[in-house]
Amino acid sequence: MEITTSPKKLRICVLGGTGFVGGHLVARLARDGHSIKVLTRHRERHRALLVLPTVQVGEADIHDPATLEREFAGYDAVVNLVGILNERGRDGQGFARAHVELPRKVATACRRERVGRLLHMSALGADAAYGSSVYQRTKGEGENIAHAAIGVAVTSFRPSVIYGPGDSFFNRFAALLRRTPWLFPLACPNARFAPVYVEDVAEAYARALNNLHTHGQRYDLCGPHSYTLKQLVEYTARVLHLRRRVIGLSDRLSRMQANIFEYLPGKPFSHDNYLSMRRDNVCDGPFPPLFRVTPRAIESVVPYYLNGKDLRARLDETRVNHRPPDERQR
């Protein structure tokens, strides 16, 4: 099936545009010439986005329905990227607010302001009825709410763990490995993931925007290979040239670690995270061929942002290869 795109430039309002995925997606949409408004609580913290052509940053409370309606007025499309991996409390209300209540408000505001297009960020494993964790169940419920919006063409995306410069996956494990001596205890070592590159996710969003065939569809997004969590952490250590022995914890010890770590500052690992990892985070098939994206493997990307020396070496190599032949030996 061919991609059907329109030359029309759209007015797009983005929620969650200041985050990891949002920054990459906003830049990608700006390259297509769309007019983009990013909503955030703290405009002054994200002035870097203003260097992008056709991008404006507006300060707003996205959880206020009246504010959403005002901000969506006159726009062609809305992109909702808002999501949390952990909540501050432990009663599920934080997940419900971000993953259920907000999509409901967004869908309502789109309908009332006649915004005809909505791209929604869900998650692999999202399932309102049978999700293993509160995270997965609320993600599934929010996804269903978005797709139930009357008069709005909705497309949702369910990525596995997303990686790239500035991610909270490889970068987090890199920081932990650097601070940990020889032995590295790892909870849920056999949990499986198919990491997907952030630029590939952004490309899928950009190509879906004007594609009528994506209306009403839900797409799983994965990288080309799947790995156990233990394999990914061991790979991170190799990239950093760190000699670490990764010790996989049993299910009982993993659960104990989760119950302890969720009380630490920043909640690095929670009981809900543990429940999420009881279900493999991999796709049943390849990256959706509709988008004509060849997903990149972690080995072709991660070393060049995780290891500063490798990045500098790559840049030096690039500069040398672009010199005239008679200058390369100087």
Side-chain angles (χ1 to χ4, degrees), residues 180-256:
T180 305
W182 175 244
L183 297 179
F184 186 88
L186 179 68
C188 305
N190 296 318
R192 297 196 70 84
F193 299 89
V196 59
Y197 184 39
V198 64
E199 294 288 350
D200 295 335
V201 174
E203 193 65 30
Y205 269 79
R207 296 190 178 192
L209 192 60
N210 282 320
N211 189 337
L212 298 177
H213 296 293
T214 67
H215 291 188
Q217 300 302 310
R218 312 180 191 213
Y219 295 103
D220 293 348
L221 302 180
C222 285
H225 308 295
S226 66
Y227 312 80
T228 66
L229 182 60
K230 185 172 186 284
Q231 288 173 328
L232 290 171
V233 175
E234 289 174 335
Y235 171 73
T236 303
R238 290 197 301 273
V239 169
L240 297 173
H241 308 295
L242 296 174
R243 297 184 62 183
R244 299 289 185 270
R245 183 180 178 187
V246 180
I247 305 296
L249 301 180
S250 66
D251 183 71
R252 179 171 175 271
L253 290 177
S254 296
R255 187 170 60 252
M256 288 177 59

Side-chain angles (χ1 to χ4, degrees), residues 161 163 169-170 194-197 223-225 227 231-232 235-236 238-239 295-305:
V161 61
Y163 74 93
F169 187 80
F170 285 107
V196 59
Y197 184 39
H225 308 295
Y227 312 80
Q231 288 173 328
L232 290 171
Y235 171 73
T236 303
R238 290 197 301 273
V239 169
R296 278 158 281 193
I298 61 173
E299 294 82 2
S300 67
V301 178
V302 172
Y304 302 117
Y305 70 86

Side-chain angles (χ1 to χ4, degrees), residues 44-62:
E44 294 303 313
R45 296 181 184 176
H46 307 288
R47 295 181 65 86
L49 287 173
L50 296 176
V51 303
L52 296 171
T54 73
V55 174
Q56 60 173 304
V57 180
E59 194 162 300
D61 177 7
I62 63 173

